[in-house]
Amino acid sequence: MSVKVSKFCAGVSALAVLPTAAALAQSVPGEGFEDIGEIVVTAQKRSERLADVPMSISVVTGDALSRAGIVDTAQLVQAVPGFNYQQGAFGTPVFSIRGIGYNDNSTSAGPAVTVYIDQVALPYSVMSRGAMLDLERVEVLKGPQGTLFGMNSTGGAINFIAAKPTDVFDVGASVGFARFNEISFNGFVSGPIADTLSARIAVQGEFSDGWQYSRTRPSDRLGKKDFLNGRAIFDWKPSESLSFELALSAWRDKGETQAAQFVDFAPAVAVTPLTQYIADAMEASPLARNNAREADWDVGRDYARNDRFHQASLRVDWSLSDDVSLTSISAYNRFKGSSPMDIDGTAFSAFGIDAHDSDLETFAQELRLAGSSGMIDWMIGGNYQYENAAESTITTNQGTNNQIGPFLFTRLGQIADQKVDTLSAFGSLDVHVTDQLTLQGAVRYTSQKRDFSGCIKDEGLGPVGVTAATAFEFLGGLFTGTPVSIPAFGCVTLDAATFAPGLAKSELDEDNLSWRAGIDYKFDTNVMAYANVTKGYKSGSYALVPAILSSQFTPVTQEAVLAYEAGTRFTTFGGVLSADFAAFYNDYDDKQLKGIVLTPVFGPLPQLVNIPKSKVYGFEANVTLQPTKGLRLKSGLTYIRSKVLRDPVAPAVPRDPYGVPTSYLGETFPNTPKWQFVGDAEYRFPIGSGGMQVMVGSAVTYHSSSPGTFGNTPAFTLPAYTLLDARLGLESADGRWSGQIWGRNITNEYYYNNVTHLTDYVAKIAGMPATYGVTFQFRY
């Protein structure tokens, strides 16, 4: 079936790319849609037409996002080819582009795809929950973006462009009602406050009942939404040459976390008489069926998260002359969250996160000078960023590997604190050799110091057994031959050399030089070809892991990607047809991975490792066609091949999800489908004599199958899936009001984006089932 769908998608894309010349000559742009050739972007930190940007970039306007019902960064998989999303076992969002991402359960893990709002970084992916509010557009830049956007963008960067204050009064609002008793709303008000001051305020809310039901208690529900979001932007222009933009945003999420689906009982170590009750309970737990809504969780537990985020940024633009400008961007971010979860997918407390607390605080300051002189455009600048990331968990874990000698402990804590200082200097140079030929170069030097402290710790008595302190006192005594004392609620991690319990401390100092060289040729104002070579880095990292020994906190060092890309982009007059094609090859060094190590007593446990050598290559084609009045067709096709070329070196022996030694050579990257296709069709036509318009639309998203993890283990394969959405709407002649009936995943396709094996169980995280609803919009 997946092969047939792949061929169908490829055929649709090919037909869209090759319309007849006669059709183009006779066509006019679809009424009600944007002229793609005139979309302005800031991908290179300056305003320019999308048609002139010499790199792979997907742009989706705010109106298009609204029509498609895309309200979360994860949903960009429905609109951006090559972009992928995976929910980590602890609920942390993982974004990847063209196979390059970083799958870690820690909220304090630096991503490989960084999210920005108006060029202000959200350094941790968990901060992106509220980014999709009142947008002008979103720009998804593909391939390493380190020269202008810094480290942790080896896969790419996502830049959300917020709608800005207007010079005249403007107000809009929408309200929606959907399955699971969901009520959503958003709105904005914008306009001048004084002669030189204008403002825009936007709000958003989402509330619903739970969408999951318990496998053993069908009346129990989980998955409520309770989300509020807001942003205020103030523009002050005291003179023609000087402007200030202050942006304040905040959101809070008190919705419930998603429960996993239980697949299999796979004990980490051999079952003993002391842990036989665990095996009995797990083997008696019913397996989840192929139903996204069906899961299970511990009875009587509250799984409501308590996540809060606020951001303040100030941008200053000063035109020093007609050709030189100075830009300053200052930003402060703070995320505090707590997310209890059931990640074993059973009603038995095999592995439950009682609390997953995060306190992530960042400050950044960027200063850059840009200008032009004759045939040269140039930019120089510097950036400083400070991060204070504290993360902890408290787990109730009744697992086979929680036995030490005669002791069984079932409650444990983890802590990981990091302080990071990053300094960088960057510059770029564009040389317009002729009106058609441009040479580009950019470079950034980055120095980063990262201080870490962490441990697993005693959290008192669990439902069964003794405290972790008691069990680890016994273990420490076995290793050292002398009595070991651990205070209540103290660190129990043992030093890898001395076996003394305590807080593990470490530091990581790294630097690197990112660079980019490119050439582009414009055949005319709407047709160009380009080629780039780019070197990008992702910073080294520590992780929140159950470190029995301090050596499990060994960090991964920075990874590097050398990316080659060549492509073309063209737009016909009036935006009837817009298309781009790119081929890419990525030479990947030291890919970061949460691997498996075999620990004494406890069996396989997670630890970060580097894969020395791998590669990713493929191509991408995107087409937008507006062949006749009211009709718009969009399609995007991505083909990706990834391959491990060299195994990790000892002591990081390659292991499958069960801890069995293996080899990763020749394997493809997890959660990297070979084929991805997104398509959207919309037709608008008038009805009646009043000028009202009817809108009919549909969207399709296809991902081929891919491994869920390294190790060539069939149980962890992510199956292929096809999602189909539909919408039907009515809009007034003046565009002031509209209504829409919509359905998403209308065929109720069952799919999942992650399969985990953390202790004794295998569990998967399902995608959303069919949803449907109605939305009303008003614009004054």
Side-chain angles (χ1 to χ4, degrees):
M1 176 63 183
S2 62
V3 174
K4 292 181 179 178
V5 174
S6 297
K7 291 181 178 179
F8 168 75
C9 295
V12 170
S13 182
L15 288 173
V17 172
L18 298 172
T20 66
L24 291 179
Q26 297 172 10
S27 296
V28 295
E31 186 175 283
F33 302 119
E34 66 275 0
D35 183 346
I36 292 128
E38 297 306 318
I39 293 177
V40 175
V41 298
T42 53
Q44 299 187 101
K45 294 195 173 181
R46 60 174 181 262
S47 295
E48 56 189 332
R49 294 191 320 150
L50 173 61
D52 295 332
V53 179
M55 68 172 70
S56 286
I57 173 173
S58 292
V59 178
V60 189
T61 65
D63 287 342
L65 292 169
S66 178
R67 290 195 298 268
I70 296 175
V71 297
D72 190 277
T73 306
Q75 291 179 284
L76 287 176
V77 296
Q78 303 169 28
V80 177
F83 174 79
N84 219 336
Y85 160 77
Q86 185 175 40
Q87 179 177 305
F90 289 7
T92 306
V94 178
F95 305 131
S96 63
I97 295 177
R98 292 177 176 173
I100 298 181
Y102 180 49
N103 190 349
D104 190 346
N105 298 327
S106 309
T107 57
S108 57
V113 176
T114 298
V115 174
Y116 297 79
I117 299 178
D118 289 329
Q119 301 179 27
V120 175
L122 302 176
Y124 302 99
S125 297
V126 72
M127 293 178 170
S128 67
R129 173 67 175 91
M132 196 81 70
L133 169 65
D134 191 33
L135 296 179
E136 179 180 313
R137 66 185 181 277
V138 57
E139 303 171 2
V140 181
L141 288 63
K142 302 171 184 180
Q145 303 296 323
T147 55
L148 290 180
F149 286 91
M151 287 198 302
N152 297 353
S153 57
T154 43
I158 304 172
N159 193 21
F160 291 100
I161 310 300
K164 300 301 187 291
T166 52
D167 295 332
V168 297
F169 179 74
D170 193 10
V171 62
S174 73
V175 60
F177 306 92
R179 190 184 185 191
F180 309 119
N181 294 322
E182 179 173 345
I183 299 175
S184 61
F185 65 85
N186 63 70
F188 73 91
V189 58
S190 177
I193 299 176
D195 289 344
T196 59
L197 179 65
S198 59
R200 187 181 185 103
I201 298 174
V203 295
Q204 175 191 14
E206 298 174 1
F207 307 90
S208 78
D209 294 338
W211 62 275
Q212 291 185 296
Y213 63 82
S214 167
R215 179 80 162 86
T216 56
R217 309 175 306 277
S219 61
D220 283 3
R221 294 290 186 267
L222 188 67
K224 292 180 180 177
K225 289 183 180 181
D226 186 351
F227 178 67
L228 282 174
N229 191 12
R231 180 191 297 131
I233 300 178
F234 301 91
D235 279 355
W236 180 41
K237 299 178 181 178
S239 70
E240 290 293 326
S241 61
L242 183 63
S243 65
F244 297 82
E245 182 175 280
L246 174 66
L248 305 172
S249 62
W251 56 262
R252 64 99 171 133
D253 191 349
K254 294 187 176 182
E256 293 174 331
T257 58
Q258 179 178 344
Q261 296 183 304
F262 177 55
V263 175
D264 187 26
F265 173 58
V269 298
V271 176
T272 69
L274 198 60
T275 60
Q276 184 61 50
Y277 84 99
I278 297 172
D280 293 341
M282 294 298 288
E283 289 174 345
S285 297
L287 303 181
R289 293 168 291 203
N290 291 344
N291 182 340
R293 298 190 61 194
E294 187 176 87
D296 222 338
W297 55 92
D298 300 349
V299 64
R301 292 286 307 277
D302 183 2
Y303 290 100
R305 56 168 56 92
N306 186 16
D307 295 347
R308 303 172 305 283
F309 172 78
H310 59 265
Q311 179 189 75
S313 66
L314 177 64
R315 174 170 176 151
V316 182
D317 288 291
W318 184 17
S319 296
L320 303 178
S321 69
D322 291 341
D323 299 319
V324 179
S325 63
L326 178 68
T327 298
S328 169
I329 300 179
S330 310
Y332 173 80
N333 300 311
R334 182 74 179 272
F335 172 86
K336 296 188 72 174
S338 180
S339 301
M341 294 189 70
D342 191 301
I343 54 179
D344 58 69
T346 72
F348 174 69
S349 55
F351 197 142
I353 300 178
D354 303 333
H356 182 193
D357 296 335
S358 305
D359 189 351
L360 312 175
E361 186 177 23
T362 69
F363 170 78
Q365 173 62 55
E366 178 169 303
L367 196 65
R368 64 177 186 256
L369 198 64
S372 60
S373 177
M375 58 187 291
I376 295 175
D377 295 328
W378 56 270
M379 180 188 299
I380 58 171
N383 184 285
Y384 169 74
Q385 183 165 296
Y386 171 76
E387 305 167 43
N388 186 359
E391 186 176 5
S392 65
T393 65
I394 299 175
T395 60
T396 297
N397 179 10
Q398 299 188 72
T400 59
N401 60 352
N402 280 47
Q403 181 180 353
I404 300 178
F407 300 108
L408 179 71
F409 65 94
T410 54
R411 192 167 171 84
L412 194 68
Q414 301 177 74
I415 59 174
D417 296 339
Q418 299 183 63
K419 291 179 172 57
V420 188
D421 283 286
T422 307
L423 278 169
S424 63
F426 60 87
S428 67
L429 195 68
D430 292 3
V431 181
H432 304 285
V433 180
T434 68
D435 291 340
Q436 296 173 297
L437 179 64
T438 300
L439 304 178
Q440 295 183 320
V443 65
R444 176 186 289 252
Y445 172 76
T446 302
S447 175
Q448 183 179 91
K449 181 178 181 181
R450 185 180 296 264
D451 293 319
F452 171 84
S453 61
C455 71
I456 55 173
K457 60 191 291 287
D458 174 53
E459 288 292 349
L461 283 171
V464 176
V466 302
T467 66
T470 299
F472 276 80
E473 284 177 344
F474 176 80
L475 181 63
L478 288 179
F479 284 141
T480 63
T482 59
V484 172
S485 177
I486 300 175
F489 300 98
C491 287
V492 301
T493 294
L494 304 178
D495 184 89
T498 66
F499 299 108
L503 188 69
K505 296 184 178 182
S506 179
E507 67 177 36
L508 183 65
D509 293 347
E510 296 179 311
D511 64 352
N512 59 67
L513 189 69
S514 301
W515 53 267
R516 177 172 176 258
I519 180 172
D520 66 84
Y521 186 84
K522 297 180 178 64
F523 296 91
D524 59 34
T525 57
N526 293 311
V527 181
M528 73 172 303
Y530 65 88
N532 299 313
V533 182
T534 310
K535 186 68 174 283
Y537 292 85
K538 180 192 176 301
S539 63
S541 183
Y542 295 87
L544 184 75
V545 295
I548 308 301
L549 299 174
S550 61
S551 56
Q552 283 180 256
F553 283 128
T554 300
V556 284
T557 56
Q558 62 187 358
E559 67 179 29
V561 176
L562 181 61
Y564 304 85
E565 180 181 81
T568 182
R569 176 180 289 115
F570 70 89
T571 303
T572 62
F573 177 76
V576 173
L577 173 67
S578 176
D580 62 78
F581 177 87
F584 54 89
Y585 180 93
N586 296 326
D587 190 358
Y588 209 164
D589 291 335
D590 295 321
K591 174 180 171 58
Q592 297 171 355
L593 166 74
K594 179 170 279 188
I596 301 293
V597 296
L598 200 62
T599 62
V601 181
F602 300 98
L605 289 175
Q607 178 177 321
L608 295 179
V609 298
N610 289 102
I611 293 179
K613 201 74 175 176
S614 51
K615 65 180 179 180
V616 186
Y617 61 92
F619 68 84
E620 186 172 291
N622 300 277
V623 176
T624 299
L625 179 63
Q626 300 178 167
T628 188
K629 184 177 181 180
L631 178 63
R632 184 201 60 195
L633 306 171
K634 298 184 70 173
S635 64
L637 180 69
T638 304
Y639 172 80
I640 301 172
R641 292 298 304 267
S642 56
K643 187 176 183 179
V644 174
L645 301 177
R646 194 181 307 163
D647 269 329
V649 296
V653 177
R655 298 179 183 275
D656 71 10
Y658 301 110
V660 178
T662 184
S663 172
Y664 298 157
L665 289 178
E667 288 196 32
T668 59
F669 291 176
N671 199 30
T672 304
K674 184 184 296 185
W675 292 99
Q676 288 180 250
F677 176 80
V678 296
D680 187 278
E682 184 171 308
Y683 181 54
R684 293 171 174 263
F685 58 91
I687 184 173
S689 58
M692 287 194 301
Q693 285 202 337
V694 174
M695 179 272 290
V696 181
S698 181
V700 61
T701 304
Y702 171 76
H703 284 196
S704 62
S705 64
S706 66
T709 184
F710 283 114
N712 277 327
T713 310
F716 290 78
T717 297
L718 303 178
Y721 67 85
T722 303
L723 306 181
L724 183 63
D725 300 347
R727 56 189 184 270
L728 172 66
L730 185 66
E731 183 177 295
S732 65
D734 58 8
R736 289 194 172 186
W737 65 263
S738 65
Q740 180 175 284
I741 301 171
W742 51 264
R744 294 168 195 140
N745 188 12
I746 60 176
T747 61
N748 202 31
E749 176 97 344
Y750 175 71
Y751 67 104
Y752 45 93
N753 61 47
N754 202 354
V755 185
T756 64
H757 177 245
L758 297 185
T759 53
D760 293 331
Y761 60 89
V762 178
K764 54 190 176 184
I765 300 173
M768 284 295 293
T771 56
Y772 41 81
V774 59
T775 302
F776 302 97
Q777 293 183 322
F778 169 79
R779 187 77 175 261
Y780 177 77

